[in-house]
């Protein structure tokens, strides 16, 4: 929505920024801690498509989650209003370290962590690096962890992403967004124009290229193969998937479901890659119920 309001929350009134080491990260915050989920804050990390940001991915979901959690929507490095530096090493690790430094700056010790696509990869890497700082983990069609057993690579959604990167245009962006959802009524002219403007903002294309190259660089690409580390993930993990996901298809969930010791899987029918938008109410209910089963215990 161009007025910056989602479900009663004004974009600018919830907007914050803080240092994360040498970077400044933008985020949006609403809600207060409750007894749900042991009182831990909920941090949400967005996907990595053109024009993506925490607000575009999770702005509509913020009011519902803020009823039960102190909720922070974080623009990852290179996206939204956050700094856009060259990526050092693999993006998942680079972004996970930035999130850790942001939490340090904000004085937040432990969180529940929810990540979509690229943000799912960052969330998993964070949980592997800092398991003591994570209560429960929710991963939505996560990048890096998804291993397609039957679908060809690259998938339709990734092909359309690459087409946009090669020749940016509103038409190419519309094709990419169309692959995100089953319900094509969600692909509005307003959404395409808004995302295209963000994708063309100064530094955004360079940041997207740097992020993408971190998964091809011979010195860092193996660090992004998170499925190889799935057996090391010890935090309770909810895998969520749209049954009709054309970016990270559903068969990509099965290795993770088998290998992560405390993994569960919820599949949303008639739903693509944007479960938080296309199955909004069910997504909130499922995630809140899962996080509510967490009981925070003293670690002294």
């Amino acid at each position: 929505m161009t007025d910056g309001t989602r479900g009663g929350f004004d974009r600018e009134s919830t907007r914050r920024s803080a240092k994360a080491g040498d970077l400044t990260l933008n985020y949006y915050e609403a809600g207060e801690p409750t007894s749900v989920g042991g009182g831990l804050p909920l941090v949400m990390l967005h996907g990595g498509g053109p024009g993506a940001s925490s607000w575009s991915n999770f702005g509509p979901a913020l009011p519902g989650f803020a009823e039960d959690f102190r909720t922070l929507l974080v623009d990852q490095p290179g996206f939204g209003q956050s700094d856009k530096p060259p990526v050092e090493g693999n993006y998942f690790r680079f972004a996970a370290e930035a999130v850790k430094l942001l939490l340090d700056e904000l004085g937040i010790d432990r969180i529940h962590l929810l990540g979509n696509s690229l943000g799912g990869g960052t969330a998993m890497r964070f949980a592997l690096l800092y398991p003591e700082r994570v209560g429960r983990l929710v991963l939505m069609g996560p990048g890096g962890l998804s291993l397609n057993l039957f679908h060809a690579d690259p998938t339709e959604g990734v092909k359309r992403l690459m087409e946009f990167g090669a020749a940016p245009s509103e038409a190419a962006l519309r094709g990419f967004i169309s692959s995100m959802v089953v319900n094509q009524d969600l692909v509005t002219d307003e959404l395409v124009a808004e995302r295209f403007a963000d994708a063309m903002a100064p530094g955004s294309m360079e940041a997207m290229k740097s992020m993408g190259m971190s998964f091809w660089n011979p010195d860092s690409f193996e660090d992004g193969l998170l499925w190889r580390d799935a057996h090391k993930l010890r935090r309770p993990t909810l895998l969520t998937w749209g049954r009709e996901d054309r970016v990270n298809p559903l068969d990509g969930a099965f290795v993770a479901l088998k290998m992560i010791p405390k993994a569960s899987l919820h599949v949303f029918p008639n739903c693509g890659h944007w479960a938080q938008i296309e199955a909004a109410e069910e997504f909130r209910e499922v995630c809140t119920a899962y996080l509510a089963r967490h009981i925070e215990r003293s670690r002294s």
Side-chain angles (χ1 to χ4, degrees):
M1 296 183 181
T2 54
D3 65 358
T5 300
R6 296 279 168 84
F9 280 87
D10 177 75
R11 182 173 186 170
E12 288 306 311
S13 69
T14 57
R15 181 178 169 185
R16 314 279 188 270
S17 66
K19 298 296 292 183
D22 293 333
L23 303 181
T24 297
L25 296 187
N26 183 76
Y27 65 100
Y28 301 90
E29 180 176 348
E32 299 292 337
T34 72
S35 60
V36 178
L40 295 184
L42 172 61
V43 172
M44 306 173 82
L45 302 177
H46 60 84
S53 68
S54 60
W55 189 259
S56 69
N57 267 203
F58 294 117
L62 181 58
F65 281 100
E67 291 178 6
D68 295 301
F69 305 95
R70 176 189 178 189
T71 306
L72 295 87
L73 317 180
V74 177
D75 283 347
Q76 298 187 82
F79 291 91
Q81 300 302 310
S82 287
D83 285 350
K84 299 173 174 58
V87 175
E88 298 177 6
N90 179 266
Y91 184 83
F92 292 145
R93 189 178 295 269
F94 181 72
E97 294 286 4
V99 171
K100 183 262 185 187
L101 292 171
L102 175 67
L103 296 177
D104 289 347
E105 178 72 15
L106 298 178
I108 298 175
D109 181 38
R110 274 166 65 79
I111 57 172
H112 296 306
L113 191 53
L114 187 158
N116 172 38
S117 198
L118 182 76
T122 299
M124 179 175 172
R125 179 56 73 191
F126 183 95
L128 288 167
L129 289 169
Y130 308 107
E132 72 284 355
R133 301 192 71 163
V134 177
R136 290 189 169 218
L137 193 62
V138 178
L139 304 177
M140 302 171 50
L145 181 59
S146 174
L147 181 62
N148 297 330
L149 299 179
F150 306 114
H151 276 82
D153 287 311
T155 62
E156 178 189 350
V158 173
K159 285 181 181 178
R160 294 194 177 191
L161 175 62
M162 294 166 66
E163 290 169 0
F164 178 87
S169 68
E170 287 200 19
L173 182 56
R174 181 181 294 274
F176 171 72
I177 295 174
S178 294
S179 72
M180 298 289 105
V181 293
V182 173
N183 181 5
Q184 294 299 301
D185 290 340
L186 295 171
V187 188
T188 63
D189 292 344
E190 181 184 30
L191 174 62
V192 173
E194 184 178 294
R195 291 281 297 246
F196 187 72
D198 288 343
M200 294 292 102
S204 293
M205 288 299 294
E206 294 82 0
M208 190 171 78
K209 181 178 179 180
S210 182
M211 177 272 290
M213 290 305 298
S214 79
F215 295 103
W216 293 96
N217 189 318
D219 296 327
S220 61
F221 85 94
E222 289 194 16
D223 198 29
L225 304 179
L226 293 174
W227 56 268
R228 302 199 304 189
D229 292 330
H231 67 285
K232 301 177 185 178
L233 186 58
R234 292 295 186 264
R235 304 313 304 151
T237 301
L238 175 63
L239 304 169
T240 67
W241 240 274
R243 189 181 64 195
E244 284 72 41
D245 193 326
R246 290 182 280 161
V247 181
N248 292 334
L250 179 57
D251 61 295
F254 298 141
V255 169
L257 182 62
K258 177 70 173 180
M259 298 301 294
I260 298 173
K262 298 178 181 178
S264 303
L265 173 64
H266 185 93
V267 179
F268 299 93
N270 304 310
C271 181
H273 196 54
W274 284 350
Q276 81 281 13
I277 293 172
E278 204 163 17
E281 195 58 32
E282 183 182 356
F283 177 77
R284 184 185 67 82
E285 291 172 358
V286 167
C287 292
T288 299
Y290 183 77
L291 298 175
R293 291 200 291 272
H294 177 80
I295 299 174
E296 187 67 0
R297 296 181 175 87
S298 172
R299 292 178 293 145
S300 60

